[in-house]
């Protein structure tokens, strides 16, 4: 088993992202919501675009330059951003981490 | 071909059913809503069954009545209450029912906007209805009376006669000429059209009993031609006038036995009913397009007449057949095909001729192949005449919609002709399984007019019912947070309360209520997430904060959704609810939306303390603040050129970073500038496309979110300057006015200046300088603004939230693309109210300031009676001229003699008359009845359950017997009518048991019904009509005699009844002294009067209960639910008196047992019972045994290998309640109630199995008798079950394991660790199998012969059983528990190096339950596991 602290498999990244999301949601009292790969940012967690900016900040803090959230949503239009799932971000993050390992 | 027509809304008012939901319940529950004529409706002398026939005599007085239900909220319909008495009641009822039907179809907003496409057709007869009866009394009867009196008593002068007329008409109330229109019959339809603004066809049709279906046929044709898009159709009939009954009596059509039993062999006539029903019809294609909920689809209608036949009054099968065939041909179907039809709602009048003709029709048209159910709702509500068709249509549509075949009452011995058809009747509701559910409805009217409608289920899956009514808003206010929490937790809180701490929830679902609970527990403000608002301290109102309206500018996409808002408040709005993608054309829409929302908010009492806007929204703010006049703005918009908003080559971009950071990046360049400082996390730039694109890329590379926007206007940048002139010129033409409320500028971050010239200058600056929205919001907050209402579409609110993050503030949007305007407005209202503002909720739909005041309608046709004072005043001469008077005129001597004779006569009459008993009329009485073991200690002998002596009395479940309740109702009635006895009780209804622990105080209400009856009610539990009289009536019938050949000696003695607990009654209720004889349909016993109230009559019920127990094997637990009549011929016997009890069974179905009884005292009948109805509950012999001796029997059956299996054989909710109370004691019952409804049944099965397993285990080891209540089962934190003793019982150490699935519960008890599991044998997905079994197991699994589904169940249950034994559960890792050996009855599981042997057994559900197979696995006791 690897002893790297930043493992690049989906389960670990999901756990890390969930933590960030919970921080974001904590003051809204929704920190006990279930977060899975299928959870949507907008419908399930009720995050708005402004919150996503905050999330991008947290991602930068945690992963530095290795994960560019801005690029991630750059290609998407409004409908797609609203329907984004945690899983899509997880996969993007994993891919970014592996590419920059 | 006629297009299929969808039924999208329905409502009714029928006997026993004030609305659609109760009608459905009654239909499915087989409720008989027939009663006697309500007292006072006619003069009692009209009912003369034994007398010679005469036009004014009827021989039947039972039927279907809606008098108690006829209430209408007239003011809600814009009708003055004082015009109600003069108005024909059926018009008001039609209005109520039609409005309900429209609401059921989604509300008036869902009707087409073009009301010329909406019509209403109602079937209605031309009979003498109550309003016209009253008019006739006033006009004709009063005149007739005066004329006849004048002819018979010529001594009366004109003044006296006029006084009579006046006194008579006074009883009818004041004249009301302005309401005379209310008597015109077709207004039943026209009033509706007037009220709902329907401009299509609106009229009534008369085809007697076929009227409703004729109306439906008209509606279908209107939809087919396209003249209408929606039609309300139905029927209305409220006429119980004595003339109507007289017609039926003279025709001989009324049932002499006063029962209506359609298709019964001995059916002998009809009972008359009344009612109204309305359905909303649309072409199916339109309904599907609009996403309506469709109950059923009408695929064909048929109408035909009999033509020349033998008699006008007798039905002819030929015409009926033609109508039915015509309808099925229109539907394109063959009625005789085996799968053509599932349910036929017949006309079914229960007259011999009618039933015979109809059965012949059914045989001819539908043939004999296939089977289907026949029904007639007339068995439940009587014949509703012109409304019969709609009552049947609604019934059939509900049956089709719910997939339930419905019962018909009283058809226990069907008409022989039924056998020649493919139809049969049901006596209880049954599921309807068919590929396509199809029904037909018959309606055949007097004079030979016949109609038939074919219905089938809506295509596609049944959509979940969309919530159509306006959402509820839960609002609570209290002085402190603690008080609010308390009010929230208190179930059934109706009052909003008062105080600064407020909670508002829109559409309070379970999820939202749970969230609110958490929010309240935190005690901190919560503003808006999930539509919950809570403020521990108000920001507004007493909190002093101000409200600002912020108007958004253009959005990249705009979805308008506010048409309903405009319609509700009557505000102008011309845009459709659509997306406006073209930015240029958006401008006008955004502008008008802002104004609409401002006006709508004003209507609910919300006005801003200031307005401001974002970009172009600032123009809206200016208009709203009155700086520009409305008309000038309208003109401007009309001539507005959207292309004026384009500066070629420019682009905007939104950057997810603060303005300062963006400015840094721009580093002073002039081609790209900052155009908007929106919030700490958003700024906007503007410049040439390419440059902006490059900057966006730079930001993204740095990880900052950036997006190019589709606007090209160049606003708020210096780049606009060259293009400014046209706009400046247009703006110069505006006349400026001082703002009527504070208007803030996002350019200067302060209020607008006062001087006109400065305003014009600022207008220009605004277009050239950046929008400093973030500083504006901050400044407004600093100036005391706490609530910001986004008056338009978009995300402006989230910018405010971002800027004010961490500070106390409230942001709420008045428009949302996700829901219609009214729904969003409701949220704004709730949000602002929660933070202290006074909001006018009553202006929103669905909110009412107070309970609606429904006015009771008078459906009666009472004879007029003059009261004492009036009679005295008019004082007509009492005695006619007699020979004595003639004599007096013949001379003085004769006069003296005449006087002497007159004196003598007077004296004689005084002596003979006796003291005049002047009894007051019964009065109203409101009081209470405290029910508890303290006030009614005899209830300890009326406890359902046997429990150990040290148990809580509550566990024994003491309940007030039905007859004790009746006894109390009689006593209360007597209290309300002093000097009178309760001599009879009618229409007793018992709806709920009154439990004595915990004690309860029941409100009692007695209301007079006429001069010698009262309606006595124990609110929520029971009611009865009590008849009162000064003396008990004589004329008791003779006691019944039964032939000796029809009876035999009973097998049980009276003593055994109680000793062996066949009856649960204790000593004070044990009144059966001897069981004398029992027969096929009767039983005789001897009773000794006990002392407890109602106990003697309760024993009558016990004798009945004995009869069913002795004759039937199952469902022998019975409890009374209703009684038609009990009549007493003397006072209650003293305790100790012996009486003979005779019981005659009159009806027995799966659900009910009906009987008549007599109590005979000293050879004479003291009391007669008619129509005593018991309800039967699920119980088998096994269940009864567990009930009688719970301390040594179990519901579970012990299985080989030593485990308990219990099967759920009581799907009936009431029986489940009984079983639950028997097994679970005090706190356990609370735990049961707290469990979520899903899974509650299985949890109970698990508990029963656990208690039984433990008892069986301990009994096998010598422990004495044990009641289930002496055990408590709990679960530890890991979820493992454990058992403790209660009520002083010490349990030896014992371990228990429990499992349940579907209808089975299993449990095992041992001294040491053990585990058991049960699983259903069903197909499993491959992925499931692979997830559960490791590679070795898969190989083993594949190698086993036989049913793989069963093997999988064995593998799984074995793992679970071992996991439970180990106390760990599977922990999501089933493969850790490896099955290493597998045989049908034994498995071996290896885990963490140890091997465990597990036994298996196969179990099946018994017949009667859904077919299922299970596998049960339990751990085998080994040296290690044995204690």
């Amino acid at each position: 088993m690897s002893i790297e602290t930043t493992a690049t498999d989906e389960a670990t990244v999901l756990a890390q992202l969930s933590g960030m999301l919970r921080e974001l949601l904590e003051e809204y009292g929704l920190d006990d919501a279930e977060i899975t790969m299928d959870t949507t940012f907008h419908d399930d967690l009720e995050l708005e675009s402004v919150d996503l900016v905050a999330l991008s900040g947290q991602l930068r803090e945690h992963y530095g330059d290795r994960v560019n959230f801005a690029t991630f949503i750059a290609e998407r239009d409004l409908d797609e951003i609203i329907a984004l799932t945690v899983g899509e971000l997880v996969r993007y993050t994993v891919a970014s981490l592996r590419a920059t390992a | 071909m006629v297009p299929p027509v969808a039924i999208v809304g329905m409502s009714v008012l029928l006997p026993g059913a004030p609305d659609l939901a109760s009608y459905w319940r009654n239909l499915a529950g087989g409720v008989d809503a027939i009663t006697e004529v309500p007292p006072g409706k006619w003069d009692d002398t009209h009912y003369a069954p034994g007398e010679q026939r005469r036009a004014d005599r009827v021989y039947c007085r039972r039927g279907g009545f809606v008098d108690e239900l006829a209430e209408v909220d007239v003011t809600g319909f814009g009708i003055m209450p004082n015009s109600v008495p003069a108005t024909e009641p059926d018009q008001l009822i039609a209005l109520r029912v039609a409005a309900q039907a429209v609401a059921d179809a989604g509300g008036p907003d869902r009707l087409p906007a073009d009301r010329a496409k909406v019509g209403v057709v109602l079937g209605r007869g031309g009979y003498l209805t109550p309003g016209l009866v009253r008019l006739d009394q006033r006009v004709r009867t009063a005149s007739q009376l005066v004329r006849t009196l004048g002819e018979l008593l010529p001594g009366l002068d004109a003044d006296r006669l006029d006084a009579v007329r006046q006194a008579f008409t006074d009883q009818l109330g004041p004249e009301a000429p302005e309401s005379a229109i209310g008597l015109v019959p077709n207004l039943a339809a026209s009033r509706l059209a007037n009220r709902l603004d329907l401009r299509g066809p609106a009229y009534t049709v008369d085809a007697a009993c076929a009227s409703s279906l004729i109306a439906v046929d008209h509606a279908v044709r209107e939809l087919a031609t396209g003249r209408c898009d929606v039609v309300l159709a139905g029927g209305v009939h409220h006429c119980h006038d004595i003339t109507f009954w007289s017609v039926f009596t003279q025709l001989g059509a009324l049932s002499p036995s006063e029962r209506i039993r359609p298709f019964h062999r001995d059916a002998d006539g009809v009972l008359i009913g009344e009612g109204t029903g309305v359905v909303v019809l649309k072409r199916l294609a339109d309904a599907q397009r609009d996403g309506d909920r469709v109950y059923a689809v009408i695929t064909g209608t048929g109408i035909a007449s009999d033509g020349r036949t033998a008699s006008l009054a007798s039905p002819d099968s030929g015409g009926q057949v033609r109508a039915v065939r015509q309808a099925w041909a229109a539907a394109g179907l063959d009625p005789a095909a085996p799968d053509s039809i599932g349910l036929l709602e017949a006309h079914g009048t229960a007259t011999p001729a009618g039933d015979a003709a109809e059965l012949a029709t059914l045989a001819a048209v539908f043939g004999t192949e296939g089977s289907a159910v026949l029904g007639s709702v007339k068995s439940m509500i009587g014949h509703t005449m012109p409304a019969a068709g709609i009552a049947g249509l609604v019934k059939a549509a509900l049956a089709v919609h719910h997939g339930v075949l419905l019962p018909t009452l009283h058809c226990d011995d069907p008409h022989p002709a039924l056998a020649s058809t493919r139809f049969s009747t049901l006596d209880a509701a049954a599921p309807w399984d068919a590929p396509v559910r199809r029904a037909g409805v018959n309606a055949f009217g007097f004079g030979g007019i016949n109609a038939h409608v074919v219905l089938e289920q809506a295509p596609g899956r049944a959509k979940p019912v969309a919530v159509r009514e306006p959402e509820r808003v839960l609002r609570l206010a209290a002085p402190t947070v603690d008080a609010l929490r308390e009010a929230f937790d208190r179930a059934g809180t109706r009052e909003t309360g008062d105080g600064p701490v407020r909670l508002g929830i829109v559409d309070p679902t379970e999820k939202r209520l749970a969230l609110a609970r958490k929010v309240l527990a935190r005690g901190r403000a919560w503003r808006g997430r999930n539509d919950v608002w809570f403020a521990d301290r108000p920001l507004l109102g007493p909190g002093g904060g101000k409200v600002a309206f912020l108007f958004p500018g253009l959005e990249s996409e705009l979805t308008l959704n506010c048409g309903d808002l405009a319609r509700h408040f009557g505000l102008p709005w011309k845009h459709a609810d659509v997306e406006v993608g073209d930015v240029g054309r958006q401008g006008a829409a955004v502008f008008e939306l802002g104004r609409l929302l401002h006006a709508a908010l004003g209507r609910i009492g919300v006005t801003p303390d200031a307005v401001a806007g974002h970009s172009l929204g600032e123009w809206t703010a200016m208009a709203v603040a009155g700086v520009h006049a409305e008309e000038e703005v309208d003109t401007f918009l009309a001539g507005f050129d959207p292309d004026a908003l384009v500066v070629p080559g420019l682009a905007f971009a939104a950057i997810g970073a603060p303005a300062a950071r963006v400015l840094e990046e721009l580093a002073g360049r002039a081609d790209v500038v900052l155009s908007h400082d929106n919030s700490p996390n958003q700024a906007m730039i503007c410049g040439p496309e390419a440059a902006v694109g490059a900057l966006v890329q730079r930001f993204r590379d740095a990880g900052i979110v950036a997006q190019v926007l589709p606007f090209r206007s160049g606003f708020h940048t210096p780049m606009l300057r060259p293009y400014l002139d046209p706009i400046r010129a247009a703006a110069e033409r505006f006349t400026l006015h001082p703002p009527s409320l504070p208007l803030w500028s996002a350019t200067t971050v302060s209020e607008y200046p006062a001087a006109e010239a400065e305003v014009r200058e600022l207008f220009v600056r605004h277009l050239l300088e950046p929008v400093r929205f973030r500083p504006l919001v901050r400044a407004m907050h600093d100036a005391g603004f706490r609530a910001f209402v986004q008056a338009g579409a978009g995300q402006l609110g989230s910018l405010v939230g971002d800027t004010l993050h961490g500070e106390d503030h409230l942001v709420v949007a008045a428009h949302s693309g996700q829901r219609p305007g009214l729904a969003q407005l409701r949220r704004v209202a709730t949000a602002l109210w929660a933070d202290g503002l006074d909001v006018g909720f009553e202006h929103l739909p669905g909110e009412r300031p107070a309970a609606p005041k429904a006015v009771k309608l008078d459906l009666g046709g009472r004879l007029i009676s003059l009261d004492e004072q009036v009679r005295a005043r008019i004082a007509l001469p009492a005695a006619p001229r007699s020979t004595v008077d003639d004599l007096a005129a013949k001379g003085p001597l004769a006069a003296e003699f005449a006087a002497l004779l007159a004196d003598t006569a007077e004296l004689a009459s005084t002596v003979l008359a006796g003291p005049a008993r002047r009894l007051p009329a019964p009065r109203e009485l409101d009081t209470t009845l405290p029910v508890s073991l303290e006030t009614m200690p005899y209830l300890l002998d009326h406890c359902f359950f046997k429990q150990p002596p040290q148990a809580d009395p509550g566990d024994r479940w003491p309940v007030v017997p039905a007859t004790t309740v009746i006894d109390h109702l009689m006593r209360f009635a007597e209290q309300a009518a002093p000097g009178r006895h309760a001599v009879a009780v009618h229409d007793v209804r018992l709806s709920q048991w009154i439990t004595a622990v915990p004690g309860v105080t029941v409100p009692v209400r007695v209301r007079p019904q006429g001069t010698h009856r009262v309606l006595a009610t124990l609110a929520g539990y029971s009611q009865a009509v009590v008849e009162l009289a000064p003396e008990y009536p004589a004329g008791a019938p003779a006691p019944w005699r039964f032939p000796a050949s029809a009876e035999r000696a009973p097998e049980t003695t009276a003593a055994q009844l109680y000793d062996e607990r066949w009856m649960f009654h204790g000593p004070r209720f044990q009144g059966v002294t001897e069981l004398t004889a029992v027969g096929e349909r009767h039983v005789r016993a001897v009773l000794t009067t006990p002392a407890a109230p109602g106990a003697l009559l309760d024993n009558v019920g016990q004798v009945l209960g004995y009869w069913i127990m002795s004759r039937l094997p199952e469902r022998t637990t019975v409890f009374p639910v209703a009684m038609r009549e009990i009549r007493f011929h003397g006072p209650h016997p003293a305790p100790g008196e012996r009486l003979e009890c005779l019981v005659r069974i009159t009806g027995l179905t799966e659900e009910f047992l009906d009987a008549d009884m007599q109590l005979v005292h000293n050879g004479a009948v003291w009391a007669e019972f008619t129509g005593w109805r018991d309800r039967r509950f699920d119980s088998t012999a096994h269940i009864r045994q567990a009930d009688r001796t719970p301390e040594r029997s179990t519901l579970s059956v012990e299985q080989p290998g030593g485990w308990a299996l219990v099967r759920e054989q009581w799907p009936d909710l009431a029986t489940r309640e009984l079983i639950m109370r028997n097994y679970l004691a005090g706190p356990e019952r609370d735990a049961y109630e707290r469990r979520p409804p899903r899974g509650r049944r299985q949890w109970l099965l698990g508990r029963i199995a656990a208690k039984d397993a433990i008892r069986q285990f301990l009994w096998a080891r010598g422990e004495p008798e044990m009641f289930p209540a002496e055990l408590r089962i709990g679960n530890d934190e890991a979820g493992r079950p454990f058992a403790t003793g209660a009520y002083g019982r010490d349990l030896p150490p014992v371990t228990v394991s429990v499992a349940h699935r579907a209808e089975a519960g299993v449990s095992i008890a041992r001294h040491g660790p053990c585990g058991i599991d049960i699983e259903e044998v069903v197909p499993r997905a491959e992925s499931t199998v692979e997830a559960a079994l490791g590679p070795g197991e898969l190989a083993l699994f594949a190698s086993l012969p036989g049913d793989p589904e069963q093997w999988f169940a064995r593998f799984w249950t074995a793992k679970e059983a071992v996991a439970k034994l180990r106390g760990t559960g599977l922990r999501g890792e089933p493969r850790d528990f490896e099955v290493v050996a597998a045989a049908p009855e034994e498995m071996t599981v290896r885990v963490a190096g140890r091997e465990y042997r597990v036994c298996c057994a196969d179990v099946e559900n018994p017949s009667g339950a859904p077919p299922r197979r299970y596998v049960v696995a339990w751990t085998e006791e080994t040296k290690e596991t044995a204690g």
Side-chain angles (χ1 to χ4, degrees), chain B residues 707-980:
Chain B
Q707 208 103 18
V708 175
L709 301 172
F711 308 118
R712 295 240 171 296
S713 63
F715 277 28
H716 316 299
T717 70
M719 282 83 99
L720 187 63
R721 198 182 293 273
Y723 302 87
L724 201 47
D725 287 331
I727 302 175
R728 192 211 300 259
E732 301 275 307
R733 285 199 285 277
F734 278 127
T735 344
L736 292 185
H737 310 266
S740 57
L741 61 148
L743 168 67
W744 285 65
S745 156
T747 312
T748 62
V749 187
S750 58
E751 282 190 47
Y752 260 63
E756 196 180 299
E758 290 178 32
V759 172
R760 292 197 198 279
E761 200 202 305
L762 182 51
F763 186 84
V764 169
R765 276 183 63 191
H766 171 244
L767 289 169
L768 297 174
E769 294 180 31
V771 173
R772 297 164 61 197
F773 192 69
R774 179 190 53 83
L776 173 66
V777 170
R778 265 250 72 90
M780 291 182 87
H781 188 267
D782 291 339
F785 287 88
R786 289 289 173 274
F788 299 86
V789 178
Q790 172 189 313
Q795 300 276 329
L796 206 60
S798 61
L799 296 179
V800 175
D802 191 28
T803 303
L804 294 178
H805 185 81
E807 319 247 11
D808 276 331
H809 69 283
L810 168 67
V811 178
V812 63
H815 181 276
S816 161
Q818 294 181 326
R819 60 182 74 86
L822 280 170
Q824 190 63 25
L825 193 68
R826 197 172 284 118
R827 282 152 179 78
V828 176
T830 307
L832 292 171
W833 174 85
D835 255 308
L837 213 57
D838 260 326
V839 178
F841 280 95
E842 63 275 11
H843 299 290
L844 289 169
E847 299 275 342
R848 290 175 192 273
K853 291 283 184 60
V855 172
K856 193 86 188 298
L857 302 179
D858 180 3
L859 302 183
R862 263 184 285 301
L863 287 182
I864 301 224
S865 220
L866 302 176
D867 68 37
E868 300 288 326
Q869 288 174 321
V870 174
R871 289 184 221 176
R873 184 163 47 84
I874 298 185
L876 293 185
R881 285 171 64 88
S882 70
T883 42
V884 176
D885 295 319
D886 284 329
L887 189 61
K890 287 197 165 95
L893 190 60
E896 236 183 87
F897 184 56
L900 179 63
L901 284 176
D903 279 345
T904 313
E906 212 187 290
L907 183 61
S909 83
T910 314
V911 169
L912 289 171
R917 292 268 298 269
R918 199 128 289 249
L919 283 172
R923 57 185 175 78
E924 290 190 359
L925 178 67
D926 282 280
T927 176
T928 58
L929 175 67
V931 174
S932 68
L933 289 177
E934 289 74 42
T935 59
M936 302 182 178
Y938 45 81
L939 292 183
L940 281 170
D941 283 343
H942 194 269
C943 290
F944 278 21
F945 300 120
K946 189 175 173 191
Q947 296 286 13
Q950 57 284 40
D952 283 335
D955 288 344
R956 294 177 53 202
W957 206 21
V959 162
V960 182
T963 52
T964 306
V965 167
I966 294 173
D967 188 74
H968 281 290
L969 287 173
M970 283 165 54
R971 301 301 142 241
F972 284 121
E974 287 176 347
Q975 269 184 46
R980 281 187 246 235

Side-chain angles (χ1 to χ4, degrees), chain B residues 13-14 90 121-129 188 204-216 233-240 244 248 271-278 347 349 378 381-393 441-446 449 451:
Chain B
L13 176 72
L14 291 165
D90 63 70
V121 185
L122 295 181
R124 184 188 190 279
Y127 313 110
L128 197 56
T129 38
T204 60
V205 294
D206 185 357
C209 324
S211 303
S212 303
L213 293 192
I214 306 291
V216 167
V236 52
H237 177 77
H238 294 283
C239 167
H240 273 297
F244 191 70
F248 276 78
L271 293 182
I272 304 176
E274 62 174 320
T276 296
V278 175
H347 191 57
T349 54
K378 293 181 179 61
I381 61 177
H383 189 347
T384 56
M385 305 293 163
I390 198 68
L393 183 71
V441 185
N442 281 346
F444 307 136
F446 286 121
I449 172 74

Side-chain angles (χ1 to χ4, degrees), chain B residues 995-1037:
Chain B
T995 314
V997 172
V1000 59
T1001 303
V1002 182
V1004 180
R1005 240 172 49 151
V1006 179
R1007 293 284 176 273
Q1009 279 192 354
T1011 48
H1012 47 261
R1013 286 190 186 203
V1014 298
L1015 176 66
T1017 315
L1018 294 184
Y1021 294 101
S1022 63
Q1023 65 174 52
V1025 173
V1026 183
E1027 199 182 309
L1028 300 147
E1031 313 290 342
Y1032 287 98

